[in-house]
Amino acid sequence: MTQSSAQSSVPFLPFVKPEIDEETIAGVADVLRSGWITTGPQNQAFEAALSEYCGGRPVRTFNSGTATLEIGLRIAGVGPGDEVITTPASWVATSNVVYEVGASPVFADIDPITRNIDLDKLEAAITPRTKAIIPVYLAGLPVDMDRLYAIARQHKLRVIEDAAQAFGSTWNGKRIGAIGDIVSFSFHANKNLTSIEGGALVLNNEDEAELARKYRLQGITRTGFDGMDCDVLGGKYNLTDVAARVGLGQLKHIERFTEQRRKLAHAYFTGFEGSAAAKLGVGLPVADFTNSNWHMFQITLPLERLTLDRAGFMEQLKERGIGSGVHYPAIHLFTLYRERGFRAGMFPHAERFGATTVTLPLFTQMSVADVARVCRAVDEICKQHAVGAAA
Ligand SMILES: *Cc1c(COP(=O)(O)O)cnc(C)c1O
């Protein structure tokens, strides 16, 4: 391809890349030299800092944002025979954890505009067996939190917020995590705040926080020098101090990270305005610059007007030195879910979104010029591969 050879001097632009400062790297070296490298003082400091960030609510750290969801369900008392309503447009962890605790996921389709769970459909899916809701704030855009909690209160349902992508997002000026029932964050390397791998649960009271601590490590309670008991079935989900130190170093920058992401998202809207891509029908996310932390910038492709499929489109981006991703194929179409009775056609908006979405590069160390370059590339691919375009 002449395109790629002509541009081979331009560095490859990945779709995501964490920003770790030198102070954090030095801090990690200090932890490694300290002699205490697994859960210890850095975790205590990280929990305290996260709690302060979440308006003083109790916080417990975990080794992933999957563990936090599973333990959140256990704390809410969700188990065999219960139904949990969630969205089919998410990372599969969101509903796998429901099976993990012996309950059944019930999907409600998304609103094609926000790409989040449609709250009317959520309400229609409530049955006498419904015990909890797991809303997902896809790409960091919250659902209507007032309406969500009105539904939960009316039907006496617990809410385990899958806020894996929403650290730094707000609702009416209040931070996600500072409001609500149980809130689950992920600190995976691709998330807005990372501890390499990790997660945290925001809880309602000290009893829940104590239960979270026990579930996190084998259900163990220690008293004095030699007293030990185990009264709940816990697992092994604790975060290392090395990871907690990375998270602490990140937390200092979260406001700047979110500002920079909003600026880049804004540049995407400017870049696509009036473009050939927009005219062809490339779909953009909701232009929210108050609540969303802009975890991702996801477009949808008008595949019926293009002569290539999504993989071909992503390949064309790659040839232009641009990385991209897919977040996410509809969960209910995966084999595990089909084997449990789900079928194509059940949640058409999630299916369509899952089949046409492409995540474009968006990370804090990108520039507005990088965004412009991505927009030009998308435009060029759309023009060259539009149905009926001159060969
Ligand atoms: C990342 C993510 C998770 C899982 O977090 P891990 O830390 O990778 O276990 C769950 N739900 C959503 C929506 C996510 O984006």
Side-chain angles (χ1 to χ4, degrees):
M1 280 270 154
T2 49
Q3 211 72 44
S4 50
S5 50
Q7 299 191 356
S8 58
S9 59
V10 179
F12 187 80
L13 185 68
F15 83 86
V16 63
K17 187 177 165 221
E19 178 181 336
I20 314 279
D21 65 15
E22 290 304 321
E23 191 267 337
T24 303
I25 293 168
V28 165
D30 289 343
V31 172
L32 289 171
R33 289 190 195 99
S34 74
W36 196 299
I37 55 179
T38 188
T39 317
Q42 297 298 325
N43 266 275
Q44 277 178 9
F46 193 29
E47 285 178 343
L50 289 167
S51 173
E52 193 188 327
Y53 184 85
C54 294
R57 300 182 68 195
V59 174
R60 291 295 175 270
T61 54
F62 285 80
N63 60 6
S64 79
T66 304
T68 49
L69 287 171
E70 184 184 326
I71 302 308
L73 287 169
R74 290 191 195 281
I75 291 169
V78 176
D82 295 331
E83 291 176 353
V84 178
I85 304 175
T86 191
T87 168
S90 182
W91 175 229
V92 69
T94 305
S95 49
N96 277 356
V97 294
V98 177
Y99 284 134
E100 201 64 55
V101 301
S104 306
V106 171
F107 294 111
D109 205 357
I110 58 167
D111 169 341
I113 307 294
T114 65
R115 301 152 177 187
N116 279 330
I117 194 164
D118 180 326
L119 296 180
D120 288 329
K121 291 185 177 142
L122 184 163
E123 203 165 12
I126 295 171
T127 76
R129 288 173 62 197
T130 308
K131 182 88 180 235
I133 308 167
I134 306 182
V136 175
Y137 313 140
L138 196 67
L141 181 72
V143 299
D144 178 338
M145 302 293 281
D146 300 330
R147 171 111 197 268
L148 171 77
Y149 277 98
I151 295 170
R153 268 192 304 273
Q154 191 192 335
H155 298 272
K156 297 189 168 49
L157 304 176
R158 293 300 301 264
V159 179
I160 294 91
E161 296 182 28
D162 185 350
Q165 303 183 1
F167 199 91
S169 297
T170 55
W171 176 254
N172 287 343
K174 296 191 191 86
R175 288 173 178 160
I176 295 299
I179 52 172
D181 191 352
I182 293 176
V183 183
S184 166
F185 290 118
S186 165
F187 305 135
H188 173 267
N190 286 358
K191 303 289 158 58
N192 286 28
L193 182 143
T194 185
S195 61
I196 308 174
E197 298 281 0
L201 270 184
V202 188
L203 300 144
N204 293 297
N205 51 52
E206 288 306 323
D207 286 350
E208 282 187 358
E210 176 59 8
L211 199 48
R213 188 196 61 74
K214 284 204 270 189
Y215 278 130
R216 181 172 70 187
L217 195 66
Q218 315 294 0
I220 288 292
T221 331
R222 292 174 196 273
T223 42
F225 265 118
D226 66 353
M228 191 192 290
D229 192 18
C230 168
D231 58 359
V232 294
L233 182 58
K236 172 71 178 173
Y237 303 118
N238 56 306
L239 189 70
T240 71
D241 258 21
V242 172
R245 182 61 188 85
V246 174
L248 271 170
Q250 292 263 293
L251 195 52
K252 288 186 189 153
H253 301 291
I254 193 66
E255 307 293 340
R256 176 175 62 82
F257 284 175
T258 305
E259 272 318 298
Q260 174 67 2
R261 286 174 171 278
R262 284 186 180 152
K263 184 171 134 194
L264 296 168
H266 199 270
Y268 268 119
F269 284 101
T270 308
F272 282 124
E273 204 175 315
S275 67
K279 283 177 192 137
L280 199 67
V282 165
L284 301 182
V286 173
D288 176 307
F289 293 100
T290 34
N291 292 319
S292 179
N293 67 359
W294 288 100
H295 172 60
M296 297 189 279
F297 196 94
Q298 301 155 292
I299 60 170
T300 54
L301 300 177
L303 290 176
E304 64 286 351
R305 290 183 213 136
L306 291 169
T307 56
L308 36 55
D309 60 11
R310 177 169 60 187
F313 185 92
M314 293 170 75
E315 187 58 43
Q316 285 293 313
L317 279 175
K318 194 174 163 211
E319 282 186 17
R320 289 164 175 79
I322 296 168
S324 60
V326 172
H327 306 92
Y328 299 92
I331 293 174
H332 65 286
L333 300 182
F334 289 140
T335 302
L336 178 80
Y337 288 79
R338 287 178 187 267
E339 282 172 1
R340 294 172 185 222
F342 293 102
R343 292 281 170 271
M346 283 180 163
F347 311 105
H349 293 306
E351 289 168 23
R352 186 169 169 78
F353 176 74
T356 60
T357 189
V358 175
T359 305
L360 299 178
L362 180 56
F363 55 91
T364 54
Q365 287 169 309
M366 259 174 85
S367 66
V368 165
D370 290 326
V371 172
R373 184 181 142 211
V374 177
C375 291
R376 277 198 305 276
V378 170
D379 232 31
E380 195 178 278
I381 300 165
C382 282
K383 279 189 217 153
Q384 286 174 2
H385 300 272
V387 171

PDB file of all heavy atoms in Angstrom, residues 64-66 69 90-91 93-94 136 162 164-165 186-188 191 197-198 328, ligand 1:
ATOM      1  N   SER A  64      -9.173  -6.870  40.993  1.00  0.00           N
ATOM      2  CA  SER A  64      -9.766  -6.614  39.674  1.00  0.00           C
ATOM      3  C   SER A  64     -11.157  -6.010  39.823  1.00  0.00           C
ATOM      4  O   SER A  64     -11.767  -6.085  40.898  1.00  0.00           O
ATOM      5  CB  SER A  64      -9.860  -7.908  38.841  1.00  0.00           C
ATOM      6  OG  SER A  64     -10.973  -8.685  39.244  1.00  0.00           O
ATOM      7  N   GLY A  65     -11.632  -5.459  38.720  1.00  0.00           N
ATOM      8  CA  GLY A  65     -12.990  -4.917  38.670  1.00  0.00           C
ATOM      9  C   GLY A  65     -14.011  -6.009  38.378  1.00  0.00           C
ATOM     10  O   GLY A  65     -15.205  -5.735  38.289  1.00  0.00           O
ATOM     11  N   THR A  66     -13.537  -7.241  38.205  1.00  0.00           N
ATOM     12  CA  THR A  66     -14.435  -8.395  38.116  1.00  0.00           C
ATOM     13  C   THR A  66     -14.703  -8.914  39.523  1.00  0.00           C
ATOM     14  O   THR A  66     -15.858  -9.173  39.890  1.00  0.00           O
ATOM     15  CB  THR A  66     -13.804  -9.513  37.254  1.00  0.00           C
ATOM     16  OG1 THR A  66     -13.478  -8.973  35.976  1.00  0.00           O
ATOM     17  CG2 THR A  66     -14.753 -10.690  37.083  1.00  0.00           C
ATOM     18  N   LEU A  69     -17.212  -6.721  41.326  1.00  0.00           N
ATOM     19  CA  LEU A  69     -18.610  -6.969  40.941  1.00  0.00           C
ATOM     20  C   LEU A  69     -19.149  -8.219  41.626  1.00  0.00           C
ATOM     21  O   LEU A  69     -20.252  -8.222  42.165  1.00  0.00           O
ATOM     22  CB  LEU A  69     -18.728  -7.127  39.418  1.00  0.00           C
ATOM     23  CG  LEU A  69     -18.587  -5.871  38.565  1.00  0.00           C
ATOM     24  CD1 LEU A  69     -18.515  -6.253  37.086  1.00  0.00           C
ATOM     25  CD2 LEU A  69     -19.745  -4.906  38.813  1.00  0.00           C
ATOM     26  N   SER A  90     -21.709  -4.572  27.095  1.00  0.00           N
ATOM     27  CA  SER A  90     -20.675  -4.346  28.106  1.00  0.00           C
ATOM     28  C   SER A  90     -19.585  -5.380  27.934  1.00  0.00           C
ATOM     29  O   SER A  90     -19.698  -6.302  27.123  1.00  0.00           O
ATOM     30  CB  SER A  90     -21.274  -4.453  29.512  1.00  0.00           C
ATOM     31  OG  SER A  90     -20.296  -4.184  30.502  1.00  0.00           O
ATOM     32  N   TRP A  91     -18.536  -5.214  28.733  1.00  0.00           N
ATOM     33  CA  TRP A  91     -17.509  -6.259  28.842  1.00  0.00           C
ATOM     34  C   TRP A  91     -18.177  -7.437  29.537  1.00  0.00           C
ATOM     35  O   TRP A  91     -18.954  -7.250  30.475  1.00  0.00           O
ATOM     36  CB  TRP A  91     -16.324  -5.706  29.635  1.00  0.00           C
ATOM     37  CG  TRP A  91     -15.231  -6.679  29.948  1.00  0.00           C
ATOM     38  CD1 TRP A  91     -14.650  -6.892  31.173  1.00  0.00           C
ATOM     39  CD2 TRP A  91     -14.532  -7.537  29.031  1.00  0.00           C
ATOM     40  NE1 TRP A  91     -13.661  -7.829  31.082  1.00  0.00           N
ATOM     41  CE2 TRP A  91     -13.568  -8.253  29.775  1.00  0.00           C
ATOM     42  CE3 TRP A  91     -14.644  -7.791  27.665  1.00  0.00           C
ATOM     43  CZ2 TRP A  91     -12.711  -9.196  29.203  1.00  0.00           C
ATOM     44  CZ3 TRP A  91     -13.793  -8.737  27.084  1.00  0.00           C
ATOM     45  CH2 TRP A  91     -12.839  -9.410  27.855  1.00  0.00           C
ATOM     46  N   ALA A  93     -17.542  -9.491  31.668  1.00  0.00           N
ATOM     47  CA  ALA A  93     -17.417  -9.634  33.130  1.00  0.00           C
ATOM     48  C   ALA A  93     -18.716  -9.242  33.829  1.00  0.00           C
ATOM     49  O   ALA A  93     -19.110  -9.863  34.825  1.00  0.00           O
ATOM     50  CB  ALA A  93     -16.272  -8.757  33.649  1.00  0.00           C
ATOM     51  N   THR A  94     -19.376  -8.205  33.307  1.00  0.00           N
ATOM     52  CA  THR A  94     -20.583  -7.655  33.923  1.00  0.00           C
ATOM     53  C   THR A  94     -21.643  -8.716  34.204  1.00  0.00           C
ATOM     54  O   THR A  94     -22.275  -8.699  35.266  1.00  0.00           O
ATOM     55  CB  THR A  94     -21.188  -6.569  33.007  1.00  0.00           C
ATOM     56  OG1 THR A  94     -20.184  -5.604  32.730  1.00  0.00           O
ATOM     57  CG2 THR A  94     -22.382  -5.893  33.645  1.00  0.00           C
ATOM     58  N   VAL A 136     -24.349  -0.225  33.702  1.00  0.00           N
ATOM     59  CA  VAL A 136     -22.977   0.005  33.227  1.00  0.00           C
ATOM     60  C   VAL A 136     -22.928   1.400  32.628  1.00  0.00           C
ATOM     61  O   VAL A 136     -23.852   1.781  31.893  1.00  0.00           O
ATOM     62  CB  VAL A 136     -22.573  -1.034  32.157  1.00  0.00           C
ATOM     63  CG1 VAL A 136     -21.207  -0.725  31.566  1.00  0.00           C
ATOM     64  CG2 VAL A 136     -22.602  -2.442  32.746  1.00  0.00           C
ATOM     65  N   ASP A 162     -21.753  -0.955  37.882  1.00  0.00           N
ATOM     66  CA  ASP A 162     -20.513  -1.297  37.196  1.00  0.00           C
ATOM     67  C   ASP A 162     -19.947   0.010  36.639  1.00  0.00           C
ATOM     68  O   ASP A 162     -20.196   0.382  35.490  1.00  0.00           O
ATOM     69  CB  ASP A 162     -20.748  -2.322  36.084  1.00  0.00           C
ATOM     70  CG  ASP A 162     -19.426  -2.764  35.455  1.00  0.00           C
ATOM     71  OD1 ASP A 162     -18.391  -2.135  35.749  1.00  0.00           O
ATOM     72  OD2 ASP A 162     -19.438  -3.733  34.665  1.00  0.00           O
ATOM     73  N   ALA A 164     -16.830   0.568  36.212  1.00  0.00           N
ATOM     74  CA  ALA A 164     -15.456   0.243  35.789  1.00  0.00           C
ATOM     75  C   ALA A 164     -14.879   1.326  34.878  1.00  0.00           C
ATOM     76  O   ALA A 164     -13.696   1.639  34.936  1.00  0.00           O
ATOM     77  CB  ALA A 164     -15.446  -1.098  35.065  1.00  0.00           C
ATOM     78  N   GLN A 165     -15.747   1.899  34.028  1.00  0.00           N
ATOM     79  CA  GLN A 165     -15.266   2.880  33.043  1.00  0.00           C
ATOM     80  C   GLN A 165     -15.549   4.315  33.481  1.00  0.00           C
ATOM     81  O   GLN A 165     -15.280   5.248  32.730  1.00  0.00           O
ATOM     82  CB  GLN A 165     -15.944   2.598  31.691  1.00  0.00           C
ATOM     83  CG  GLN A 165     -15.675   1.175  31.212  1.00  0.00           C
ATOM     84  CD  GLN A 165     -16.259   0.887  29.846  1.00  0.00           C
ATOM     85  OE1 GLN A 165     -16.856   1.752  29.210  1.00  0.00           O
ATOM     86  NE2 GLN A 165     -16.072  -0.334  29.378  1.00  0.00           N
ATOM     87  N   SER A 186     -12.985  -0.459  38.246  1.00  0.00           N
ATOM     88  CA  SER A 186     -11.855  -1.259  37.774  1.00  0.00           C
ATOM     89  C   SER A 186     -10.667  -0.341  37.555  1.00  0.00           C
ATOM     90  O   SER A 186     -10.824   0.787  37.082  1.00  0.00           O
ATOM     91  CB  SER A 186     -12.190  -1.949  36.448  1.00  0.00           C
ATOM     92  OG  SER A 186     -10.992  -2.420  35.828  1.00  0.00           O
ATOM     93  N   PHE A 187      -9.474  -0.836  37.902  1.00  0.00           N
ATOM     94  CA  PHE A 187      -8.245  -0.081  37.644  1.00  0.00           C
ATOM     95  C   PHE A 187      -7.338  -0.836  36.671  1.00  0.00           C
ATOM     96  O   PHE A 187      -6.110  -0.784  36.773  1.00  0.00           O
ATOM     97  CB  PHE A 187      -7.505   0.211  38.969  1.00  0.00           C
ATOM     98  CG  PHE A 187      -8.361   0.928  39.998  1.00  0.00           C
ATOM     99  CD1 PHE A 187      -8.361   0.514  41.325  1.00  0.00           C
ATOM    100  CD2 PHE A 187      -9.160   2.008  39.641  1.00  0.00           C
ATOM    101  CE1 PHE A 187      -9.145   1.164  42.278  1.00  0.00           C
ATOM    102  CE2 PHE A 187      -9.952   2.667  40.582  1.00  0.00           C
ATOM    103  CZ  PHE A 187      -9.942   2.245  41.908  1.00  0.00           C
ATOM    104  N   HIS A 188      -7.975  -1.585  35.762  1.00  0.00           N
ATOM    105  CA  HIS A 188      -7.239  -2.268  34.691  1.00  0.00           C
ATOM    106  C   HIS A 188      -6.418  -1.234  33.900  1.00  0.00           C
ATOM    107  O   HIS A 188      -6.769  -0.047  33.872  1.00  0.00           O
ATOM    108  CB  HIS A 188      -8.257  -2.979  33.784  1.00  0.00           C
ATOM    109  CG  HIS A 188      -7.660  -3.583  32.562  1.00  0.00           C
ATOM    110  ND1 HIS A 188      -7.608  -2.910  31.361  1.00  0.00           N
ATOM    111  CD2 HIS A 188      -7.076  -4.780  32.362  1.00  0.00           C
ATOM    112  CE1 HIS A 188      -7.007  -3.688  30.474  1.00  0.00           C
ATOM    113  NE2 HIS A 188      -6.683  -4.819  31.053  1.00  0.00           N
ATOM    114  N   LYS A 191      -8.113   1.508  31.896  1.00  0.00           N
ATOM    115  CA  LYS A 191      -9.121   2.377  32.492  1.00  0.00           C
ATOM    116  C   LYS A 191      -8.554   3.774  32.792  1.00  0.00           C
ATOM    117  O   LYS A 191      -7.340   3.959  32.792  1.00  0.00           O
ATOM    118  CB  LYS A 191      -9.696   1.721  33.761  1.00  0.00           C
ATOM    119  CG  LYS A 191     -10.295   0.330  33.496  1.00  0.00           C
ATOM    120  CD  LYS A 191     -11.582   0.396  32.712  1.00  0.00           C
ATOM    121  CE  LYS A 191     -11.998  -0.840  31.953  1.00  0.00           C
ATOM    122  NZ  LYS A 191     -12.198  -2.096  32.608  1.00  0.00           N
ATOM    123  N   GLU A 197      -3.515  -3.834  37.278  1.00  0.00           N
ATOM    124  CA  GLU A 197      -4.771  -4.556  37.442  1.00  0.00           C
ATOM    125  C   GLU A 197      -5.279  -4.111  38.810  1.00  0.00           C
ATOM    126  O   GLU A 197      -4.493  -3.782  39.684  1.00  0.00           O
ATOM    127  CB  GLU A 197      -4.578  -6.082  37.443  1.00  0.00           C
ATOM    128  CG  GLU A 197      -4.014  -6.673  36.150  1.00  0.00           C
ATOM    129  CD  GLU A 197      -5.038  -6.840  35.043  1.00  0.00           C
ATOM    130  OE1 GLU A 197      -6.223  -6.507  35.252  1.00  0.00           O
ATOM    131  OE2 GLU A 197      -4.648  -7.310  33.955  1.00  0.00           O
ATOM    132  N   GLY A 198      -6.592  -4.141  39.002  1.00  0.00           N
ATOM    133  CA  GLY A 198      -7.121  -3.773  40.316  1.00  0.00           C
ATOM    134  C   GLY A 198      -8.544  -3.274  40.234  1.00  0.00           C
ATOM    135  O   GLY A 198      -9.117  -3.159  39.146  1.00  0.00           O
ATOM    136  N   TYR A 328     -18.500  -3.189  22.707  1.00  0.00           N
ATOM    137  CA  TYR A 328     -18.213  -4.604  22.787  1.00  0.00           C
ATOM    138  C   TYR A 328     -19.210  -5.353  21.919  1.00  0.00           C
ATOM    139  O   TYR A 328     -20.341  -4.881  21.746  1.00  0.00           O
ATOM    140  CB  TYR A 328     -18.398  -5.100  24.228  1.00  0.00           C
ATOM    141  CG  TYR A 328     -17.480  -4.437  25.213  1.00  0.00           C
ATOM    142  CD1 TYR A 328     -17.879  -3.307  25.900  1.00  0.00           C
ATOM    143  CD2 TYR A 328     -16.186  -4.937  25.430  1.00  0.00           C
ATOM    144  CE1 TYR A 328     -17.021  -2.691  26.811  1.00  0.00           C
ATOM    145  CE2 TYR A 328     -15.334  -4.335  26.339  1.00  0.00           C
ATOM    146  CZ  TYR A 328     -15.755  -3.200  27.018  1.00  0.00           C
ATOM    147  OH  TYR A 328     -14.907  -2.586  27.900  1.00  0.00           O
TER     148      TYR A 328
HETATM  149  C1  LIG B   1     -12.944  -3.397  32.705  1.00  0.00           C
HETATM  150  C2  LIG B   1     -14.340  -3.701  32.980  1.00  0.00           C
HETATM  151  C3  LIG B   1     -14.743  -4.683  33.902  1.00  0.00           C
HETATM  152  C4  LIG B   1     -13.794  -5.627  34.561  1.00  0.00           C
HETATM  153  O1  LIG B   1     -12.692  -5.063  35.169  1.00  0.00           O
HETATM  154  P1  LIG B   1     -11.342  -5.903  35.321  1.00  0.00           P
HETATM  155  O2  LIG B   1     -10.524  -5.050  36.229  1.00  0.00           O
HETATM  156  O3  LIG B   1     -10.751  -6.079  33.969  1.00  0.00           O
HETATM  157  O4  LIG B   1     -11.701  -7.203  35.964  1.00  0.00           O
HETATM  158  C5  LIG B   1     -16.089  -4.849  34.149  1.00  0.00           C
HETATM  159  N1  LIG B   1     -17.010  -4.101  33.521  1.00  0.00           N
HETATM  160  C6  LIG B   1     -16.677  -3.159  32.629  1.00  0.00           C
HETATM  161  C7  LIG B   1     -17.763  -2.355  31.983  1.00  0.00           C
HETATM  162  C8  LIG B   1     -15.337  -2.944  32.299  1.00  0.00           C
HETATM  163  O5  LIG B   1     -15.031  -2.030  31.390  1.00  0.00           O
END
